[in-house]
Amino acid sequence: MSYQPKKIILRLYKIPTCRGSPLSSERKERGGFCLGRRDEEMGVRRFAVLLCAEDSDYVRAKYGGYFGIFKEMLGAPGEEWHVYRAVRHELPLDEAEIQLYDGFVITGSCSDAYGDDPWIRDLLVFLRRLDSMKKKVLGICFGHQILGRAVGGKVGQAKSWDIGLRTVNLSTTSAFFSSLGIPLGLSIIQCHRDEVKELPPKVEVVARSDKTGIEMFRFGDHIMGIQGHPEYTKDILLHLIDRLLQKTLITVGIMNRPYGHGSYQPLPPCCLAYENAFLMHSLVV
């Protein structure tokens, strides 16, 4: 059977937690989750994307922005998906508004999760509130890092960028993954310079790679962080690489050779087309 990261993340995120009803024996065997959709009498399921970056013109034109990308990856017919631009200080105002949603997704960002920008401080307060309410939260890249910080972990800059396709190894001791019957190795697109460096004992690290020690983590049944980008396609990644190159945040030579073995040496401009072609060839999503 062929597994794609997008489909696996869909399974991991869209399993609703139980709402006060007794667990059946089948549900207990699967780790205490309620499998299946909420009963019709409980209403429409609603999710919100917390957008932590401004959309580029390319992503907005082709995908309807990053909100459109996440809705396409995680959404299902009959659900309602809304967006809050956290980077512009847009967040649900009160508990009544928060309770409208079954879950929240935190996107990537050009900002540092260990930063002290006002909107980042506001987001940290909000995420800790979601944790206290046991709301389901999924964080991707920056979202993974800011979630790690919110639950008491340490976030900082890695030794080098990680850009390209990387194999992420899921924990062999996690009952969570073994109960779902998914493969223990996944190839996921990466594009990050920061990382979660430490997490408190109460948080379970459920995936690592040869580059990053905390690729995925879980906290309780409601919080999950993923360092990679299961939502990315080849063209999104290459577009982002072009933006990073234009801002001189990276040089061509740091893009991953197969599974992350970059030389970290600048290459002449004539090699750019070759590197992009190589990267496109190696990314199969």
Side-chain angles (χ1 to χ4, degrees), residues 10-187:
L10 176 64
R11 289 189 64 186
L12 298 181
Y13 181 62
K14 297 298 285 297
I15 298 173
T17 51
C18 304
R19 298 188 169 226
S21 59
L23 295 180
S24 67
S25 58
E26 177 185 2
R27 288 170 178 173
K28 289 180 180 178
E29 290 173 0
R30 290 178 175 263
F33 282 92
C34 297
L35 300 181
R37 302 185 60 79
R38 194 199 299 183
D39 294 338
E40 289 184 5
E41 64 267 22
M42 298 185 72
V44 175
R45 297 185 72 193
R46 296 181 180 88
F47 298 89
V49 174
L50 306 181
L51 197 63
C52 298
E54 299 293 347
D55 294 322
S56 69
D57 292 340
Y58 175 82
V59 170
R60 188 183 304 110
K62 185 164 184 179
Y63 297 98
Y66 286 106
F67 169 69
I69 292 172
F70 279 100
K71 183 179 179 182
E72 174 66 23
M73 179 176 75
L74 295 170
E79 294 176 348
E80 290 185 8
W81 281 76
H82 303 151
V83 62
Y84 291 87
R85 298 185 180 275
V87 71
R88 300 183 190 174
H89 300 275
E90 294 178 11
L91 293 169
L93 296 176
D94 51 34
E95 185 168 335
E97 188 172 357
I98 294 172
Q99 291 290 11
L100 292 174
Y101 296 100
D102 295 83
F104 296 82
V105 181
I106 317 167
T107 72
S109 177
C110 296
S111 299
D112 297 321
Y114 51 84
D116 198 38
D117 296 342
W119 75 269
I120 290 179
R121 294 199 303 268
D122 291 347
L123 181 58
L124 281 168
V125 171
F126 181 71
L127 294 178
R128 288 165 182 153
R129 187 176 185 183
L130 293 183
D131 176 30
S132 70
M133 297 172 69
K134 296 296 183 287
K135 281 293 182 179
K136 208 167 186 66
V137 187
L138 170 67
I140 301 294
C141 196
F142 169 89
H144 160 87
Q145 297 160 11
I146 200 73
L147 268 180
R149 182 178 172 185
V151 299
K154 295 181 179 179
V155 180
Q157 195 171 103
K159 293 180 179 179
S160 58
W161 282 88
D162 191 8
I163 302 177
L165 194 66
R166 185 169 296 279
T167 298
V168 171
N169 301 304
L170 307 185
S171 172
T172 59
T173 60
S174 173
F176 178 66
F177 286 124
S178 62
S179 68
L180 294 176
I182 61 179
L184 295 179
L186 300 174
S187 293

